Every structure is written in C-alpha cells, then in structure tokens.
Amino acid sequence: MIYSHSRLQAYENCPLKFKLRYLDHIKREEAESIEAFVGKRVHEVLQKLYEEALLTRTNTLGDLLNYYDLLWKENWNDNITIVRKKYNKEHYYQFGRKGIENYYKRYQPFDQSITIGTEMKVNFDLDQAGKYKITGYIDRVAHTNGIYEAHDYKTGASLPSQKHLDTDRQLAFYQIAIQEKWPDAKEVRLIWHYLAFDLDLISKREPADLEKLKMDTITLIDKIETAKEFPAIESGLCNWCEYPDLCPKRKHFYIVENLGENGYFKDKGVSLTNKYAQLAGEKEKIDEKINIVKEQIIQYACKENIEIIKGNDHKVKVKITSRLKFPGKETLERAAIDSLLKDEGKWLEVSDLNAVTLSKICKQNTWDKSLIDKVREFATEEDTVSVYLSQLDEYEED
Ligand code: SF4
C-alpha cells in the first residue's frame, strides 16, 4: 500500500475505520461534511489565484469572491451534512468567504515568492529499497532566493499551537519531497495559512528531524501491516464517520436514528439504557445518604470510644487503622526508596509484578516479540465486562 499523511492519520485516529476503508475497501456514498465542502471551495479559489498569477493575470478580490460563489452554487448538493447544529449553510458560506478576503488582503499583490505549482502531487520513499512509499498533494510550492516553501491552507475553526506544528508530519513529508525534487534547495520553509485567524504559522525541520520522522513512519507502517486487531477508537470524528452501521461504538446510534419516534421508544437498547440511568441516579442519591450516616457513625464511635454499635437487627463495627504512607511513583523520593531497598537486597520482598502494565505491554506489543511470546505462555485470556454510563454529547442528542 502507498501511504499518505491522511492514511496514516486515519489509522492513528481509528484503526477500525482505517480497516473498513483501506483494507476491506468498503465503499460508501460519502456524505460530504460542510467543513470539507468549504475547504475544497477555498482551495480551488486560491489555486485559481496562483495559477493565473503565474501567467501574469492578477485576480481582483471581487473576481475571487465571484468564483467562490460560482463554485459554491455549482457544487452544493443535499448530501452535504452539517453536524454542528447551531451553524447553518450561510454561516459556513460566510466563513469561507471571510477566509478568502483575509488571505487576499494580507498577500496582494502575491509577489512574495514565485509559485512553482499548486495542488502538486509528490511521491517519495522512506527507505533506500523503496519498500515504504509516501504520496501527497502540496497546496502550493513556491521559492524565493533558493528558499523553497510548502504552503498549506487551513480552513478550520481551530488554531494549533506552534509546538504542535513543529512536530506536524504532513508538511515535514512535503519537505522531504521538495528536497528530493530540488536538491539545490538551501532551505525549506513549512507555512500554514490559518485563513479564519488571518495568521500564518511557520516551521522548519533539520535533517535529523527528517531522519527521525522517516524511522517513526516506517515503525508505524510496520505496525499497521502486522496488525491483527483494529479497535474502534471513539472521538469527535465519529460524527463524520461513514461507517456507523459497522462500528460497535456507533451502531446503536445509527439504528435508533432510523427508527422514528414510535420505534425509538420501543427499542430494547433505549429502554435498558434509560432504566440503567434511572437506577444509577437513584443509587447515587442513596450512596450520598449512606456516606452522611457513615460519617455520623464514625463521629459517634470516636466521641463515645465505642468500636461496635448495636442496632435492631444489625451491628456496625468501626475500625480505625493507621499505616505508613510512602511517596507515589515517579517522584524522586520514591526513586530513593527503590534504590535503598535494592542496595539492601530487600527489593524482592516488597515489590510485586504489575500485572496490569504487563498485560498492556503484551496487548500493544511494545517489547520484543520473542519476549512477549515467552511471557504470554504464562497468561490465560480472560474477558472482563464493564458498563459505563455517561451523558450524550451535544452532537449525539436528537
Ligand atoms: S464511528 Fe468512530 S469509532 Fe466507529 S469506526 Fe467510525 S471513527 Fe471509528
């Protein structure tokens, strides 16, 4: 498989979705999100701007906004979904328009650098043998005085930190591609244009950063290609996922959405969840009352110097024990005790195998495979079932 930043990110965000889309090739009539729709239109407008600027035609802001209107009308369709219900089509339309205006005013007459290409496809290998292949599209590549630039237009409504961008994978990939394509590049600058914020963020990568990126990406690709399990990882992105019917985390939402009001209230899952939430609420109130009485019992027992209190059919025993408390893990004091006990040869008397951590290591294969295989021989597989209750989030409510 040829990988791209978005493919790798798809796996990192949710292995199940990655599997359904890229390994099982389950095609879905993609309901395009309004965010993606706006992003595409804005990219098309800026592509026109720079392609035509190269041929000495400078678009006015009016030209670009008219083109945006035209693209919007031509491409709008009823399958475009708006997940954030407090915003409507007009809000998003204006949001994209504002981004174009911001960009235009900041950069006209667009002669800061010379554009080499827009929406430029790049391919490169992560290794000498060409086993690990990466592909991608750079929004715009430009140069000035031997300095190359990879430009990325961002049309979202959130701004990442500089620290986040300094470790961003996507544009660093593009730096590798640019350096391979134009070895004369003295420097490559990675530039993100956050249109809604009228702000540019810039980052640079040193050769050692790129080498590390290559190694990390190879490790990730190996992990993907040897994966046996593809867990569903729930996140805010689920609201835009095209496979809710195939996902154990979202299947029930999908089923009840299509039931209609009558069917919804008759659904077994809905009524069980409602019952469970009701009982859990009652239990919480009772627990609060129990804690108040427990506190009163302790105060009574201490005041009267009584250890066992008699009731009609029950008795309550109050036991006060004191124990030594030692510093928690990851503290310097804890490290000092660890080392003292090891030096004194007493470590094994008080240390214990952390079975939870060991199980996690085996599941995530973070040790050498041969060691994990040996450890696994001592383990038996056992399922534990937990049931958690929580409030629906704003996108999950009807
Ligand atoms: S709905 Fe969420 S958890 Fe399920 S496959 Fe899609 S992204 Fe993954």
Side-chain angles (χ1 to χ4, degrees):
M1 184 189 295
I2 298 179
Y3 288 86
S4 62
H5 166 71
S6 58
R7 239 171 226 217
L8 295 168
Q9 198 176 42
Y11 178 82
E12 290 165 328
N13 287 339
C14 176
L16 176 62
K17 182 173 169 180
F18 173 89
K19 177 177 177 287
L20 295 170
R21 186 187 277 183
Y22 297 115
L23 302 181
D24 300 344
H25 303 288
I26 296 177
K27 297 260 178 281
R28 282 289 151 92
E29 195 155 316
E30 259 184 62
E32 189 178 16
S33 71
I34 185 102
E35 290 84 358
F37 179 82
V38 174
K40 273 188 206 158
R41 303 300 75 89
V42 172
H43 277 72
E44 285 160 351
V45 167
L46 296 180
Q47 185 176 8
K48 169 183 164 69
L49 169 68
Y50 281 104
E51 275 181 359
E52 295 184 359
L54 192 63
L55 293 167
T56 70
R57 178 176 189 270
T58 305
N59 282 268
T60 63
L61 178 57
D63 290 338
L64 294 189
L65 294 176
N66 286 340
Y67 188 54
Y68 177 67
D69 283 354
L70 180 76
L71 291 170
W72 186 284
K73 282 186 197 120
E74 273 181 4
N75 290 285
W76 183 264
N77 64 76
D78 294 338
N79 289 330
I80 293 163
T81 53
I82 301 180
V83 173
R84 296 185 167 109
K85 299 294 178 217
K86 60 182 167 184
Y87 303 110
N88 59 31
K89 180 180 168 183
E90 181 62 18
H91 288 129
Y92 283 98
Y93 166 77
Q94 292 298 344
F95 182 70
R97 198 179 155 94
K98 182 79 190 136
I100 294 168
E101 280 178 7
N102 286 345
Y103 188 89
Y104 195 95
K105 287 175 186 161
R106 175 179 273 258
Y107 280 108
Q108 68 167 323
F110 313 106
D111 58 359
Q112 294 78 11
S113 55
I114 299 166
T115 297
I116 300 168
T118 57
E119 299 301 320
M120 183 186 277
K121 184 168 187 193
V122 288
N123 299 299
F124 65 94
D125 298 333
L126 293 169
D127 60 326
Q128 296 282 344
K131 183 178 165 206
Y132 300 91
K133 296 190 178 303
I134 299 290
T135 188
Y137 286 87
I138 311 179
D139 288 347
R140 185 164 73 90
V141 180
H143 81 99
T144 176
N145 300 324
I147 298 173
Y148 284 70
E149 298 167 346
H151 293 262
D152 200 46
Y153 309 124
K154 292 293 185 195
T155 55
S158 65
L159 186 70
S161 65
Q162 181 68 46
K163 195 172 163 203
H164 178 88
L165 291 178
D166 285 341
T167 54
D168 175 87
R169 181 173 55 209
Q170 184 178 23
L171 262 65
F173 274 172
Y174 298 161
Q175 176 167 346
I176 297 173
I178 288 172
Q179 283 175 336
E180 271 194 23
K181 219 169 155 106
W182 293 286
D184 64 314
K186 282 195 276 188
E187 185 186 321
V188 179
R189 300 170 82 206
L190 313 177
I191 306 171
W192 292 262
H193 302 281
Y194 281 86
L195 272 59
F197 301 91
D198 194 11
L199 192 67
D200 296 340
L201 294 174
I202 300 172
S203 181
K204 264 180 21 180
R205 295 293 191 285
E206 300 302 326
D209 299 328
L210 297 181
E211 277 315 303
K212 181 173 182 313
L213 173 69
K214 285 183 182 177
M215 294 317 298
D216 290 348
T217 310
I218 287 173
T219 305
L220 177 58
I221 292 174
D222 284 341
K223 184 176 171 193
I224 295 172
E225 299 201 337
T226 54
K228 296 201 170 48
E229 290 177 13
F230 293 85
I233 297 181
E234 206 183 9
S235 71
L237 299 172
C238 295
N239 299 305
W240 286 268
C241 179
E242 65 267 36
Y243 302 110
D245 54 324
L246 300 177
C247 169
K249 298 248 163 81
R250 304 303 285 188
K251 193 192 271 180
H252 192 245
F253 288 78
Y254 176 83
I255 292 170
V256 296
E257 246 171 46
N258 295 300
L259 281 180
E261 205 169 311
N262 277 342
Y264 179 85
F265 286 108
K266 281 188 196 147
D267 179 83
K268 193 171 177 185
V270 171
S271 58
L272 282 172
T273 303
N274 291 347
K275 187 79 194 157
Y276 189 73
Q278 182 202 331
L279 293 171
E282 288 169 15
K283 179 176 175 291
E284 201 175 310
K285 283 188 193 137
I286 290 173
D287 284 345
E288 272 172 31
K289 287 182 187 167
I290 289 177
N291 280 336
I292 292 169
V293 177
K294 196 171 159 188
E295 197 48 48
Q296 289 170 345
I297 286 175
I298 294 169
Q299 281 175 14
Y300 173 78
C302 291
K303 189 167 169 237
E304 303 297 333
N305 195 22
I306 289 173
E307 283 188 18
I308 300 177
I309 309 170
K310 182 183 174 302
N312 289 349
D313 303 316
H314 296 84
K315 56 185 174 185
V316 181
K317 191 172 182 180
V318 180
K319 192 175 171 194
I320 299 173
T321 41
S322 67
R323 66 183 175 93
L324 292 176
K325 203 164 174 240
F326 292 101
K329 277 186 179 176
E330 317 289 341
T331 61
L332 287 174
E333 293 83 355
R334 177 65 165 259
I337 299 174
D338 286 352
S339 120
L340 171 72
L341 295 176
K342 280 175 190 163
D343 290 349
E344 295 295 327
K346 300 289 184 195
W347 175 250
L348 282 176
E349 284 183 38
V350 291
S351 71
D352 208 357
L353 179 72
N354 188 330
V356 176
T357 307
L358 189 60
S359 164
K360 216 168 160 186
I361 288 168
C362 291
K363 287 262 175 209
Q364 295 173 348
N365 289 321
T366 43
W367 283 353
D368 194 68
K369 188 175 175 311
S370 62
L371 176 58
I372 288 181
D373 287 345
K374 283 181 199 157
V375 171
R376 269 184 179 273
E377 284 176 24
F378 293 93
T380 50
E381 194 95 33
E382 205 175 77
D383 291 338
T384 47
V385 181
S386 313
V387 177
Y388 301 101
L389 183 69
S390 62
Q391 295 276 336
L392 291 174
D393 71 30
E394 68 170 303
Y395 305 129
E396 293 169 338
E397 286 172 13
D398 301 324

